[in-house]
């Protein structure tokens, strides 16, 4: 590990308990900082309500007004995700209602990018909507450094990711794809425990300057681009304990890995992806059948260049 990264680990790695809520509230009041929390959601009716409730009851009360805005961005759910989230107290916005002049592309990154247009916080915190046993300390932990340290621009959560009953496992795409890519090509980022984690917070002034890969590559893309935009010392990570969520099967992970590799390739060379497709195999009664899926090759430009965003921020 680079000496620079070793120093960064000591300087920019914390736990959620390092900043008590009263300290965060005092810093928030003093600076006048506003905080938005965004949950990107697709068919998450089983978990989204509990997450919204935990944030509202823990961080959006008269006694603890840490979060100013809680938005669930529905990317086309066919279940009761929107209804459950609204009943729990979130503002629910459908992806297709945001920036309608641009037809929506499928993918998580597309939803995160569009969320900048319908939120107003100086700090934007993203939380996946499939988490179980969720604690509001996920949010307070990762927004904490942004409220108390003006030099910090981007904060990732770090945590254990059990796979079934096995502790410390999970994160298979991280270990097999993302971590090798980062260590080989962006060694300054080798200190991030969960580089692909979906829980992170950043200053709006940074996010609006970054391109957003529309699909699974969004976490790696934002992390790499944040490094190049503001430098390693403006990045940080906070230990929030244990993250439990719904695990995907190996074929879904393969598609995720392909998108992440493509995102890395684009940043390494800004070159042409020769074949933006991934073929996988499924067992059928007649043997193994090939199934080919497109690898998303689209990225949304920095939001600061979108006229509707500029007009909304100026209003």
């Amino acid at each position: 590990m680079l000496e620079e990264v070793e120093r960064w680990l000591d300087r920019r790695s914390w736990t959620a308990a390092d900043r008590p809520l009263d300290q965060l509230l005092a810093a928030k009041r003093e600076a006048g900082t506003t905080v938005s929390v965004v949950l990107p959601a697709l068919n998450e009716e089983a978990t989204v309500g509990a997450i919204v409730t935990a944030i509202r009851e823990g961080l959006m009360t008269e006694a603890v007004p840490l979060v100013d805005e809680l938005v669930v961005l529905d990317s086309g759910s066919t279940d009761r995700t929107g209804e459950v989230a609204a009943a729990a107290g979130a503002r629910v916005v459908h992806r297709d209602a945001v920036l309608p002049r641009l037809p929506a592309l499928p993918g998580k990154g597309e939803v995160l990018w569009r969320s900048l247009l319908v939120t107003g916080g100086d700090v934007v915190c993203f939380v996946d909507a499939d988490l179980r046993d969720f604690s509001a300390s996920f949010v307070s932990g990762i927004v904490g450094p942004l409220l108390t340290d003006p030099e910090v621009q981007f904060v990732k959560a770090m945590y254990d990711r059990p796979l079934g009953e096995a502790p410390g496992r999970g994160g298979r795409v991280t270990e097999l794809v993302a971590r090798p890519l980062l260590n080989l090509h962006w060694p300054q980022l080798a200190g991030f425990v969960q580089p692909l984690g979906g829980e992170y917070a950043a200053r709006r002034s940074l996010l609006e300057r970054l391109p957003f890969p529309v699909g699974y590559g969004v976490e790696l893309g934002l992390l790499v681009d944040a490094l190049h935009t503001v430098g390693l010392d403006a990045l940080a990570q906070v230990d929030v304990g244990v993250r439990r969520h719904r695990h995907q099967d190996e074929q879904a992970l393969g598609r995720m890995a392909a998108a992440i590799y493509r995102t890395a390739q684009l940043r390494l060379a800004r070159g042409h992806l020769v074949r933006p497709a991934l073929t996988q195999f499924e067992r059928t009664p007649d043997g193994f059948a090939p199934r080919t899926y497109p690898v998303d090759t689209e990225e949304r430009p920095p939001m600061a260049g979108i006229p509707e965003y500029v007009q909304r921020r100026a209003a």
Side-chain angles (χ1 to χ4, degrees):
M1 183 177 290
L2 297 175
E3 289 185 11
E4 176 187 7
V5 177
E6 292 181 353
R7 292 193 299 270
W8 175 84
L9 279 169
D10 289 334
R11 175 175 164 79
R12 292 300 193 211
S13 293
W14 298 289
T15 70
D18 289 336
R19 292 175 174 83
L21 280 174
D22 57 352
Q23 179 186 357
L24 299 185
L25 291 169
K28 183 177 187 291
R29 284 193 301 267
E30 181 178 356
T33 306
T34 54
V35 177
S36 298
V37 175
V38 174
L39 275 64
L42 177 63
N43 295 329
E44 302 295 356
E45 68 171 307
T47 51
V48 68
I51 298 172
V52 170
T53 297
I55 295 171
R56 287 195 61 83
E57 293 182 351
L59 303 175
M60 299 183 74
T61 64
E62 185 176 350
V64 186
L66 191 73
V67 172
D68 301 282
E69 181 179 40
L70 176 55
V71 175
V72 170
L73 227 304
D74 190 339
S75 60
S77 297
T78 56
D79 65 1
R80 298 175 59 251
T81 290
E83 181 181 341
V84 170
R91 176 161 65 95
V92 179
V93 180
H94 195 282
R95 174 199 61 195
D96 296 344
V98 185
L99 204 60
R101 71 174 176 85
L102 290 180
L105 297 169
K108 177 184 178 183
E110 175 82 352
V111 175
L112 300 184
W113 182 73
R114 288 176 185 255
S115 76
L116 297 181
L117 257 168
V118 294
T119 55
D122 304 310
V123 169
V124 183
C125 174
F126 299 121
V127 175
D128 281 350
D130 66 342
L131 303 188
R132 295 183 286 110
D133 304 325
F134 178 80
S135 167
S137 62
F138 270 53
V139 173
S140 58
I142 57 179
V143 303
L146 295 162
L147 295 175
T148 59
D149 189 336
E151 295 181 358
V152 175
Q153 298 281 317
F154 187 99
V155 182
K156 296 280 291 191
M158 56 178 167
Y159 33 67
D160 294 318
R161 292 185 65 184
L163 181 60
E165 298 303 317
R169 296 182 63 187
R172 290 162 287 176
V173 176
T174 293
E175 299 303 330
L176 296 175
V177 181
R179 200 176 307 285
L181 283 171
L182 292 175
N183 276 263
L184 289 170
H185 299 296
W186 296 282
Q188 286 180 298
L189 298 175
F192 277 93
V193 176
Q194 295 290 355
L196 300 185
E199 290 68 49
Y200 49 101
R203 300 193 189 279
R204 176 178 296 272
S205 56
L206 171 62
L207 291 173
E208 66 186 11
R209 295 157 57 195
L210 302 180
F212 276 61
V214 300
Y216 287 127
V218 64
E219 271 80 33
L220 183 133
L222 289 177
L223 187 60
V224 169
D225 291 344
L227 171 69
H228 288 302
T229 303
V230 295
L232 179 61
D233 200 51
L235 314 183
Q237 60 185 349
V238 174
D239 188 346
V240 296
V242 179
R243 182 187 196 269
R244 301 182 188 278
H245 68 117
R246 170 175 43 81
H247 291 280
Q248 301 194 55
D249 63 33
E250 284 76 8
Q251 295 214 331
L253 294 177
R255 297 190 289 275
M256 182 184 296
I260 289 166
Y261 180 81
R262 172 260 165 193
T263 300
Q265 180 200 43
L266 185 62
R267 277 151 181 78
L268 284 169
R270 295 291 170 181
H272 177 61
L273 186 61
V274 176
R275 183 177 179 270
L278 174 71
T279 298
Q280 299 176 315
F281 293 87
E282 299 176 6
R283 169 74 76 178
T284 72
D286 299 320
F288 286 101
R291 300 283 188 268
T292 299
Y293 301 89
V295 174
D296 60 85
T297 58
E298 297 293 333
E299 293 198 5
R300 291 303 193 186
M303 188 59 80
I306 301 298
E308 290 90 338
Y309 182 79
V310 174
Q311 293 168 6
R312 182 180 185 277
R313 297 296 293 171

